[in-house]
Amino acid sequence: MTGSPHVHVGNTSVAAVMAKVMAALIPGTIAHAWFFGPGIWVSLLLCGLFALVLEALLLRLRGLPLKPFLGDGSVLLTAWLLALSLPTLAPWWLYLIGTLFAVVVAKHLYGGLGQNLFNPAMVGYAALIIGFPAYMTLWPGPIGAVDHSLTLWEAFDLVFAGQGAVSHDAVTAATALDTWRTQTRLGTPVDDILTRPMFGWIGARGHEIVAAMYLLGGLLLLSARVITWHIPVAFLAGIVLTSGALHLIDPAAHADPLFHLFSGAAMLGAFFIATDPVTAASTPRGKLIYAGLAGFLVVVIRTWGAYPDGVAFAVLLMNACVPFIDDYTHPRVFGHKRASKP
Amino acid sequence: MSRRLFPFHGGVHPEPHKRESNTTPIRAMPLLPRYVVPMRQHIGEPARPTVHVGDHVLRGQIIGEAQGYVSTAVHAPTSGRVVALEPRPAAHPSGLYDLAVVIEADGDDRAVAFQPLDWRNMDASALRNRVRDLGVAGLGGAVFPSYVKLNPGAQRIHTLIVNGAECEPWITCDDRLMRERAGETLRGIAIMRHCLAAERVLIGIEDNKPEAIAAMRAALAALDADDARGVEIVAVPSIYPAGGGKQLTYLLTGLETPSGGRSTDLGIQVFNVGTAYALWRAVELGEPLISRVVTVTGHVAAPGNFEARLGTPLVDLIAAAGGELPGATGQIVGGPMMGFDLMDDAAPVTKAVNCVIVKNATLFPPRAPDLPCIRCDACARACPVVLQPFDLYWYSRAKDFGRAQSYHLFDCIECGCCSYVCPSHIPLVDYFRYAKSEIWQREREKLAADQARQRHEFKTFRLEREKREKAEKFAKAAEKTKAAAGAPVDADAERKQALLKAAMERAQKAKEAVQPKNVDNLPPAVQREIDEIEARRAAARDAAEHPADAGADK
Ligand code: SF4
Ligand code: SF4
């Protein structure tokens, strides 16, 4: 039975929403390939393929129809976000394991589309960084900072054979976030750190441009009303306020807010990861609390944690709080004096 | 002229589709051979038939009288003979039949003598009683008997809001009415204002009806200075549901009608423009409500508006608009956002029917299969009541009705904005109707069980009392034989009285306790609605239990 309304806005569907988000990822992905070589195409392809196959398998196992669920695009988006978060020159099985955790564990074991508590891409990332920390450093260095710029075939070679005409050492480099953390802990002067090749104008070399492209994509999503301003603004504000305070206290130990915004996955996190509707808070006030705290945690983990970036764990931690946050931030319903308490 | 407006939260902009039907003047319908006049055309108690099969009636003669307070009269649409008095298909979402008087027209269309009323000098209550007997009810779709709403009672009404927003797509009957009968409508408004003693009148019209706004402003300029004082015609932004009573009230005044309350709690009364026109006819011409303007549009040859007598079978109304074109896929009564599918086109026009839309597969494509909710909150952003529809959906689906209720399920006005924008194409409103009907059903069962328990308790109490009284009588008789008669009778009676009182109080308390939270202030329509919903329940439960993603979490 279907009653009113008899009409639908028509131009929206889950697939359309996912497609818009993926379209907004294109500028950042191209910038990524420009600065870090064609490795991203290989990892993107692998994650996408693995994700589609695993999703189809899981749908089959659960007795669900393939067409509507494969067609909704959500698993491709997950794969894309995962590929963008992983180093691009890791062995192929790393992408398989990451996708496995994202699609099978984080998504389907929780009940599939719309039911998952944790962001699937970030679960995949977190599993890898805990299980295979050594491989998670295989980031190609930005052009200009490494001796050799890779061709697509060399990238394939590295991913599938592990060794090829070029060695990993020739093309990978420590990231700016890593360098900053290890060097400040060693007591290297800030001026010295910042002249190293992995640092750019304001953030990490190469990464800062990629981040700017994510920002651009995010603004497109905002203008297309796919996301609201609450989460990105609160997330970035959380980063800026926390890192700004630390920087004011001790500039020798703590990078300035701009560096935090334009290195690592801050922008990707603000517009594409923390905003994942399924796992984010959904009330207006809830979004501010959820994303603000996530931004705060990003800086805390980057500063005192043992991991190269804090976005994944910050988002996952806040995902776990979402049901609670949502329950306590219900907006005031029209005609009521106060907001409802659960 | 530029009054400060207070935009409400959310709302949507569906395709207006007004041009199809608003470019031609209101057309009269030819006299039909047969009219089917339901006794239930308003909210509240249906009218009680006052004619019998075989009676001859005149146009405007009462054939059903108001029964109870929230009720109003029903009249013969033409002169002729009553040929049947029986349940007939009615224009209702449930497809239930309603008791109707079937009149075979004699072709003369002779009327009773109409008596214009001297409303300015009449006693207010006498005027209202006449309005009740003239059958005027809200023509915006709610069909609340107007005479009840014209009684300010203990409340002081400072503002009369007249709803000419007509925010539902496709419907244009109020638009045409305001363009063509602006003066009469304004004079009807003057009568309303007189009854309520309201200082100001705000007439809200969506700005997608510039002709109607212009016509009303011109008519206002021509109105008696006395009647025009404090009357303002306000163009409001075209956003659905600006024509919802509470939304329009907020839009114009910034005042929120309390949850479960009425606008009169704020000193505001809201009427529809069509009702104002009907009131003018009833009071100034003495003519009862026997026809109304109905939009016929969509997949028909000649869409437009019709002055249709109440009782006109919808199939004849559609025929008057040139008939359905090939490829028609059904009809909607009302608008596409809140209307319902017509089950049987033999159902007649009633005071509640403002529009009939003939569907085809292009204008009204079948709903896409639904996917799971992705919590995108598009629905929450669209909800004019600031609900979180995805939460209500979650709890309704999980049959956690208590939580749904505590998240204000009963504040949902079923406007459909949430379903309209949902990217997962979830029929959210269906779930909400289902949850509401389940809750009503449970409350009803609880009430019935409580009443049964009370009856049982009282019976036990009565039996015990009788036993005790018998025993006491014996004892007394025995005492009497022993000694002279004392006077314990009084004390005894008092004790009994106290016991009885305690039992009554207990019963009363139990009754109050079953009054459900959040459903206590429901309008008298509820009983009717429960009946309708009963009929839909089974189907709704079906839909809820077998969504496209069935098994997604099982
Ligand atoms: S619009 Fe639909 S998918 Fe989005 S949150 Fe609401 S119910 Fe869920
Ligand atoms: S139907 Fe109910 S929940 Fe949906 S938008 Fe309207 S008021 Fe809100």
Side-chain angles (χ1 to χ4, degrees), chain B residues 50 66 76 86 91 148 176 223 270 367 369 460 511:
Chain B
T50 54
E86 62 192 21
V148 180
R176 285 309 316 186
L223 205 66
V270 187
R367 205 171 48 81
T460 325
K511 206 159 134 200

Side-chain angles (χ1 to χ4, degrees), chain A:
Chain A
M1 177 199 94
T2 52
S4 60
H6 303 265
V7 283
H8 189 269
V9 64
N11 57 8
T12 176
S13 64
V14 176
V17 172
M18 299 295 165
K20 282 181 195 163
V21 179
M22 287 192 268
L25 278 174
I26 290 174
T29 311
I30 290 176
H32 195 296
W34 175 270
F35 284 99
F36 300 98
I40 182 68
W41 303 125
V42 181
S43 60
L44 200 54
L45 189 77
L46 285 180
C47 287
L49 272 178
F50 292 146
L52 281 177
V53 170
L54 287 172
E55 174 94 352
L57 202 72
L58 265 289
L59 289 173
R60 215 1 99 64
L61 279 177
R62 299 176 57 208
L64 292 173
L66 290 191
K67 204 173 145 237
F69 285 97
L70 270 187
D72 68 31
S74 62
V75 80
L76 276 182
L77 178 58
T78 298
W80 197 327
L81 291 172
L82 181 64
L84 289 177
S85 327
L86 296 180
T88 53
L89 297 176
W92 62 272
W93 50 264
L94 198 81
Y95 302 113
L96 177 60
I97 293 174
T99 317
L100 204 80
F101 270 93
V103 176
V104 179
V105 178
K107 186 175 180 185
H108 282 282
L109 291 189
Y110 271 90
L113 178 66
Q115 316 286 319
N116 47 302
L117 182 60
F118 295 104
N119 185 306
M122 291 303 102
V123 169
Y125 175 91
L128 294 179
I129 200 120
I130 293 169
F132 308 93
Y135 291 101
M136 293 295 278
T137 60
L138 297 178
W139 280 97
I143 41 167
V146 283
D147 318 335
H148 181 78
S149 50
L150 274 181
T151 67
L152 189 58
W153 299 119
E154 286 167 346
F156 263 107
D157 252 7
L158 279 175
V159 168
F160 283 100
Q163 281 299 343
V166 289
S167 76
H168 272 121
D169 292 342
V171 287
T172 61
T175 66
L177 276 173
D178 268 334
T179 311
W180 177 275
R181 195 179 41 237
T182 43
Q183 293 304 321
T184 47
R185 283 177 190 175
L186 290 175
T188 316
V190 174
D191 289 343
D192 179 27
I193 299 176
L194 288 179
T195 54
R196 303 199 174 190
M198 64 286 286
F199 289 87
W201 296 295
I202 49 171
R205 180 188 289 218
H207 276 299
E208 60 196 3
I209 306 296
V210 178
M213 289 297 127
Y214 290 146
L215 174 63
L216 176 75
L219 294 177
L220 291 177
L221 286 185
L222 269 178
S223 70
R225 292 165 150 264
V226 175
I227 56 174
T228 60
W229 59 268
H230 304 77
I231 288 177
V233 168
F235 189 87
L236 297 177
I239 290 179
V240 168
L241 292 179
T242 315
S243 60
L246 290 174
H247 184 68
L248 280 181
I249 295 168
D250 185 0
H254 302 288
D256 62 67
L258 264 184
F259 175 77
H260 276 283
L261 291 183
F262 287 92
S263 56
M267 286 295 171
L268 188 66
F271 289 97
F272 294 91
I273 292 171
T275 51
D276 165 37
V278 175
T279 55
S282 49
T283 65
R285 272 187 304 144
K287 285 176 180 174
L288 295 178
I289 296 171
Y290 153 87
L293 287 177
F296 163 76
L297 286 176
V298 167
V299 179
V300 168
I301 297 171
R302 279 180 178 181
T303 310
W304 290 289
Y307 298 110
D309 198 352
V311 172
F313 289 104
V315 168
L316 290 174
L317 276 173
M318 291 316 297
N319 284 165
C321 306
V322 160
F324 182 75
I325 295 176
D326 274 354
D327 255 1
Y328 280 89
T329 53
H330 270 257
R332 185 182 65 84
V333 172
F334 184 92
H336 285 262
K337 291 220 166 61
R338 259 168 283 113
S340 62
K341 287 279 171 295

Side-chain angles (χ1 to χ4, degrees), chain B residues 123-205:
Chain B
D123 169 60
S125 125
L127 176 59
R128 284 196 299 270
N129 286 343
R130 287 309 305 269
V131 171
R132 179 191 62 206
D133 293 338
L134 288 162
V136 183
L139 297 188
V143 280
F144 198 88
S146 298
Y147 90 97
V148 180
K149 281 173 70 178
L150 288 173
N151 185 357
Q155 264 137 338
R156 205 182 71 81
I157 301 295
H158 51 76
T159 303
L160 166 62
I161 288 180
V162 183
N163 189 345
E166 204 166 50
C167 61
E168 271 260 19
W170 293 98
I171 309 180
T172 59
C173 56
D174 289 345
D175 182 6
R176 285 309 316 186
L177 183 91
M178 288 186 283
R179 290 196 210 186
E180 296 175 39
R181 303 170 187 175
E184 296 88 336
T185 304
L186 282 170
R187 273 180 277 165
I189 292 171
I191 301 169
M192 290 173 168
R193 186 258 225 86
H194 169 82
C195 292
L196 297 168
E199 293 101 74
R200 64 172 180 169
V201 180
L202 301 174
I203 306 172
I205 307 174

Side-chain angles (χ1 to χ4, degrees), chain A residues 5, chain B residues 11-12 240-241 247 338 379-380 382-390 392 408-409 411-420 428-429 432 436:
Chain B
V12 294
Y240 177 85
Q247 280 66 43
M338 291 186 76
C379 50
C383 177
V385 188
V386 206
L387 295 167
Q388 307 276 305
F390 50 85
L392 297 178
H408 309 302
L409 174 67
D411 284 286
C412 167
I413 56 172
E414 298 179 19
C415 66
C417 291
C418 50
S419 305
Y420 179 75
L428 294 162
V429 187
F432 304 156
K436 286 181 187 175

